[in-house]
Amino acid sequence: MNYLFLLSTLTDRLAKTHVIVGLCLAILGFALSLLARRIASVCRPEDQRKLPVENSNKVYIMLKGFGLVFLLVALIIMMFE
Protein backbone atom coordinates (compact mmCIF):
# COMPACT_ATOMS: atom_id res chain seq x y z
CA MET A 1 0.00 0.00 0.00
CA ASN A 2 1.27 3.44 -0.86
CA TYR A 3 1.42 5.36 2.43
CA LEU A 4 2.84 8.47 0.79
CA PHE A 5 -0.31 8.74 -1.33
CA LEU A 6 -2.50 8.46 1.77
CA LEU A 7 -0.48 11.16 3.52
CA SER A 8 -0.76 13.54 0.57
CA THR A 9 -4.53 13.06 0.31
CA LEU A 10 -4.88 13.60 4.05
CA THR A 11 -2.94 16.87 3.92
CA ASP A 12 -4.97 17.99 0.89
CA ARG A 13 -8.18 17.22 2.77
CA LEU A 14 -7.07 19.04 5.94
CA ALA A 15 -6.04 22.12 3.96
CA LYS A 16 -9.58 22.78 2.73
CA THR A 17 -11.34 25.73 4.31
CA HIS A 18 -14.51 23.91 5.36
CA VAL A 19 -12.45 21.32 7.23
CA ILE A 20 -10.47 24.03 9.03
CA VAL A 21 -13.68 25.86 9.99
CA GLY A 22 -15.22 22.59 11.15
CA LEU A 23 -12.21 21.76 13.30
CA CYS A 24 -12.28 25.22 14.88
CA LEU A 25 -15.99 24.88 15.67
CA ALA A 26 -15.43 21.40 17.08
CA ILE A 27 -12.65 22.63 19.36
CA LEU A 28 -14.80 25.54 20.50
CA GLY A 29 -17.79 23.27 21.16
CA PHE A 30 -15.72 20.73 23.04
CA ALA A 31 -14.10 23.43 25.20
CA LEU A 32 -17.47 25.04 25.89
CA SER A 33 -18.92 21.70 26.88
CA LEU A 34 -16.02 20.94 29.22
CA LEU A 35 -15.91 24.39 30.82
CA ALA A 36 -19.68 24.82 31.20
CA ARG A 37 -19.72 24.14 34.93
CA ARG A 38 -16.90 26.60 35.62
CA ILE A 39 -18.46 29.33 33.47
CA ALA A 40 -21.82 28.78 35.16
CA SER A 41 -20.23 29.18 38.57
CA VAL A 42 -18.65 32.49 37.51
CA CYS A 43 -22.05 33.77 36.32
CA ARG A 44 -23.60 33.22 39.75
CA PRO A 45 -23.90 35.90 42.45
CA GLU A 46 -20.80 36.47 44.57
CA ASP A 47 -22.11 34.71 47.68
CA GLN A 48 -23.08 31.52 45.76
CA ARG A 49 -19.87 31.03 43.76
CA LYS A 50 -18.33 28.65 46.28
CA LEU A 51 -21.33 26.30 46.15
CA PRO A 52 -21.29 23.54 43.51
CA VAL A 53 -23.31 24.08 40.34
CA GLU A 54 -26.26 21.73 40.18
CA ASN A 55 -27.25 19.93 36.99
CA SER A 56 -30.54 21.83 36.72
CA ASN A 57 -28.84 25.24 36.49
CA LYS A 58 -30.15 27.05 33.40
CA VAL A 59 -26.81 28.62 32.47
CA TYR A 60 -25.10 25.23 32.75
CA ILE A 61 -27.69 23.56 30.53
CA MET A 62 -27.53 26.39 27.98
CA LEU A 63 -23.73 26.21 27.74
CA LYS A 64 -23.77 22.43 27.38
CA GLY A 65 -26.40 22.76 24.65
CA PHE A 66 -24.40 25.38 22.76
CA GLY A 67 -21.31 23.19 22.96
CA LEU A 68 -23.17 20.21 21.55
CA VAL A 69 -24.71 22.34 18.79
CA PHE A 70 -21.24 23.61 17.84
CA LEU A 71 -20.04 20.01 17.63
CA LEU A 72 -22.99 19.03 15.45
CA VAL A 73 -22.49 21.99 13.11
CA ALA A 74 -18.78 21.20 12.90
CA LEU A 75 -19.54 17.62 11.91
CA ILE A 76 -22.00 18.75 9.24
CA ILE A 77 -19.58 21.33 7.84
CA MET A 78 -16.72 18.82 7.65
CA MET A 79 -18.82 16.12 5.99
CA PHE A 80 -20.25 18.26 3.18
CA GLU A 81 -18.15 20.35 0.85
Side-chain angles (χ1 to χ4, degrees):
M1 190 169 203
N2 192 356
Y3 292 109
L4 188 61
F5 177 71
L6 287 175
L7 183 63
S8 67
T9 58
L10 179 66
T11 56
D12 290 340
R13 178 83 173 153
L14 288 176
K16 293 184 178 182
T17 57
H18 65 278
V19 174
I20 294 171
V21 169
L23 285 173
C24 291
L25 281 174
I27 290 169
L28 182 67
F30 189 65
L32 192 62
S33 182
L34 285 179
L35 296 173
R37 195 171 296 273
R38 183 166 290 176
I39 295 170
S41 69
V42 169
C43 294
R44 298 172 103 180
E46 189 70 37
D47 56 341
Q48 294 181 358
R49 286 190 185 169
K50 298 291 183 188
L51 298 174
V53 176
E54 59 276 350
N55 289 336
S56 62
N57 190 342
K58 291 179 182 174
V59 176
Y60 174 70
I61 293 171
M62 181 190 67
L63 290 171
K64 281 283 197 182
F66 277 139
L68 293 176
V69 166
F70 280 162
L71 284 171
L72 178 67
V73 169
L75 179 68
I76 291 171
I77 287 175
M78 284 192 291
M79 281 183 8
F80 302 115
E81 293 187 38

